[in-house]
Amino acid sequence: MDKVTEMVAHMIGIFHITLEEERMRDVYDKFSALKAKDPDLDDTQAVALRFSAKYDLGDFNPGLIYVPFAPAGPFVSSPDPLFFDALFPVWYQSPFYGLAANTVPAAFPLFGAGRPLLTLEPPSSVVVLTYQSAFLYDNDTLRMTDSGIEFVDPAVFLAELQQYEMIATAIAAPVSAKMVAPGETVTEDAIALHAQVGSTAPTTLTGVAATVLHGVDAIGLHVNGEAAEEAPELADLMPAFMAPDDAEETATDDEDASDSTSEDAADDAAADYEFPDPFEGLGGSSTDNSLFEVDEGHLVVSGGNLVVNEVSITTAWLDASVISVMGDVVNLNMISQINVLVDHDLGSIGEVVGSVAMNAATFAFTSTAPVPEEGAEASEDTGDLGLPVNWAVTRIDGDLFSVNQVSQYTFQTDNDIAEITFNGSNTYIGLGDNTVINLTNLSELGFGYDLIVVGGSMISINWINQINVMIDNDTMTYSGMTPTSMLGGDNLLFNGASITSSGVDAYGEMQDNFASAADSFAQGATSINAGLAQDSVFEGIDILRVLYIEGDYTTINWIEQTNVLGDSDQVHLALDDFTAQNGGEVNVITGSNATINLATITDYGVDSNVMVGGEVYDDALLYQAELIDTDADPLGVDMPALASEAVVFLADDMLTPDNGPVDVPIVATAPESTASPDMMQTMLA
């Protein structure tokens, strides 16, 4: 660097230093000005303070003076000396209190001839409305090679599934699906439903096998229209793909055996139990593949879907040993079960297992009267049972009802397209194996009385409607080496329903004293007279519990279950370059699906003597039907023709004169998007 350049650089450096000093000075001046504004605070001085309280804080005293009122009213005398001698101590009769013999103060309420007045809380109405729906669309497309095969659009299978759902609706019992609802017309609606039940006949649609049983013929267990001694075990009917293996069954048996051990042994086992390390496996290698182990060989599962609707309703809500009904009595128990299966498989290899469609229904009504032991003679000497000495009455001004309505609907499609080749030694490809479950469990506990007086009608309806629809039209092809097995079929459609009741109602004519009591209640009475309370039907009861219902007494348990499953798979195996050295067996499962509806209504009560002022409408209906199509043309069944026939069948019902608002859903339209579906949509074709 020459001298001139050095001098210029030196001057520039001095200029920069000077500039920085000026900037710092400017900032420092501002800082000094701000600091000058702050007050100069000295250090805080700690001051020791002492407190003293001359007075203690007492309890809260509002300054009010309360004097209880004296017992109101004069003394009440009883004409029955024996009653009070036994009920109250002698000091109530002492002259020290200035009372005459056999008198008590009004603080002890009396009713009638020395009878203490008892009260009861009335029951309340119960309404439970449950709607459960599940939609699953698992239409997978897997292409691991390009073989040039053209596959059918899954939309075709969706349209077919909706069409068969419509057919299933037409096959169902021709009884209005509108639930009888409490209200002013509940009696008329229930009687109209009884007429429909009584006139129900098997459907005339082509290819449908249907069984209809009425009244006592429907009582007991029936499987696919035939009386049976034992109910089928669902575990024995499950497809092989869903059945537990031997190891699981052995483990279950061991658990059952362990449950029978003593508590001491259980305590010893608990003491010896070693809790697992919660951090075990967290430090494992990233190459650990124990979670992804598969069985030897190659397995493709495009079926194996499980769809379940299950409802259990258990009630012990309201009952009495004697019921007086001024109006009509309607008692209906109905079970309708429908199975529709279409299973056309093309290209199956191996032992084909047929599908199972089963309807199992039970009506059971048992008496609560004690049954003498076998060989023991019934004793006729019942002794002096006595009659009620007191009674408690409660009343409800209006209707009393218990309504449990459960509606479950499941719609699932698993229409897979797969073009597969294998390269590894072991392979598992899962395109199906879905599980969808709707579950409802209701338990209702209520009240028990000795006498229920109903000013209106008594209505009891138990309704179970179950529908299964499954389409499993699979196409299986391969090229090259022959697979070990390619199986469709082995599907299960199961409807299981049970209506059981503990306590049997015996109907009889209305007695005059019960009718008079109902008239008195209708005019505003709040109790009954001794003549009714001490009727012979109440022998053995010390204190009579009475409920009066001004309006109708209605009990409805209504269950509707529908499963719709479409599993039409198209699978092609490209095994041209596959050899046995690549791995073991090659198996394809396109079926092994299960649609299951389970419904149970259990009512606990007592045997009742029902006196009726009007008419009695009592009936039971069992309707079981199925349409099974496992061949190209089963029994002459042609699907398009059957669909048209179903539309006409439904249209005939729709073209009848309108007798009122009847909302009869034909079929829920399956949405093509993933948005929430509208359950109120319907379709005709």
Side-chain angles (χ1 to χ4, degrees), residues 169 177-178 560 662-668 679-683:
T169 305
K178 178 183 178 182
E560 294 187 86
V662 179
D663 182 14
V664 184
I666 304 304
V667 58
M679 289 297 295
M680 300 304 295
Q681 295 180 7
T682 58
M683 64 173 295

Side-chain angles (χ1 to χ4, degrees), residues 14 32 79 139 176 212 246 252-253 258 264 306 328 342 345 349 380 405 453 545 654:
I14 294 175
S32 300
N139 304 326
S176 172
V212 178
D246 296 337
T252 303
D253 295 339
S258 64
D264 295 338
L306 175 62
D328 299 324
V342 179
D345 297 328
I349 299 176
E380 298 181 358
Q405 181 184 6
V453 180
R545 298 163 300 173
M654 297 174 185

Side-chain angles (χ1 to χ4, degrees), residues 357-660:
M358 183 170 294
N359 291 318
T362 301
F363 290 99
F365 308 99
T366 59
S367 173
T368 57
V371 179
E373 297 181 0
E374 186 176 355
E377 296 182 359
S379 176
E380 298 181 358
D381 185 13
T382 58
D384 186 10
L385 298 178
L387 295 172
V389 297
N390 202 351
W391 47 90
V393 180
T394 186
R395 62 178 291 152
I396 293 178
D397 296 325
D399 298 332
L400 182 65
F401 48 84
S402 172
V403 178
N404 298 303
Q405 181 184 6
V406 181
S407 177
Q408 296 177 327
Y409 181 86
T410 303
F411 189 96
Q412 175 183 339
T413 61
D414 184 30
N415 303 321
D416 302 320
I417 296 176
E419 197 171 358
I420 301 172
T421 184
F422 301 110
N423 294 320
S425 58
N426 300 317
T427 308
Y428 174 81
I429 298 177
L431 304 175
D433 197 8
N434 301 291
T435 300
V436 180
I437 298 177
N438 288 319
L439 176 63
T440 298
N441 190 349
L442 302 179
S443 297
E444 296 176 358
L445 305 178
F447 303 83
Y449 296 89
D450 302 304
L451 171 62
I452 297 178
V453 180
V454 182
S457 299
M458 185 174 73
I459 300 168
S460 176
I461 299 176
N462 293 315
W463 168 291
I464 298 177
N465 185 35
Q466 298 174 322
I467 296 178
N468 279 323
V469 179
M470 182 187 297
I471 310 297
D472 184 29
N473 297 333
D474 302 317
T475 301
M476 297 161 282
T477 60
Y478 69 93
S479 60
M481 177 182 172
T482 303
T484 306
S485 67
M486 301 180 73
L487 299 177
D490 193 20
N491 298 295
L492 172 65
L493 292 82
F494 185 84
N495 287 319
S498 173
I499 297 178
T500 60
S501 176
S502 175
V504 179
D505 293 342
Y507 303 109
E509 296 182 357
M510 178 65 66
Q511 295 181 192
D512 294 339
N513 54 345
F514 286 90
S516 299
D519 293 338
S520 299
F521 278 124
Q523 296 174 6
T526 59
S527 185
I528 59 176
N529 56 38
L532 177 64
Q534 297 183 348
D535 191 279
S536 60
V537 295
F538 301 123
E539 284 187 354
I541 300 176
D542 294 330
I543 299 179
L544 191 67
R545 298 163 300 173
V546 182
L547 169 64
Y548 171 69
I549 304 172
E550 180 188 34
D552 299 321
Y553 169 30
T554 305
T555 303
I556 299 176
N557 296 308
W558 196 280
I559 299 175
E560 294 187 86
Q561 298 174 313
T562 302
N563 285 322
V564 182
L565 173 60
D567 181 40
S568 298
D569 303 314
Q570 303 171 78
V571 179
H572 174 75
L573 299 183
L575 305 179
D576 301 275
D577 299 329
F578 182 85
T579 62
Q581 297 179 354
N582 288 50
E585 299 178 345
V586 176
N587 298 296
V588 177
I589 299 176
T590 61
S592 295
N593 302 289
T595 58
I596 301 172
N597 287 317
L598 301 173
T600 302
I601 298 175
T602 305
D603 181 35
Y604 292 99
V606 297
D607 292 347
S608 302
N609 179 18
V610 183
M611 288 170 282
V612 185
E615 300 294 332
V616 177
Y617 304 89
D618 189 4
D619 200 357
L621 171 66
L622 174 61
Y623 188 99
Q624 294 179 332
E626 63 180 13
L627 173 62
I628 309 300
D629 183 358
T630 56
D631 297 318
D633 188 14
L635 302 177
V637 177
D638 179 65
M639 197 276 291
L642 180 58
S644 301
E645 188 177 349
V647 172
V648 173
F649 181 85
L650 295 174
D652 289 342
D653 181 70
M654 297 174 185
L655 294 176
T656 55
D658 187 8
N659 296 323

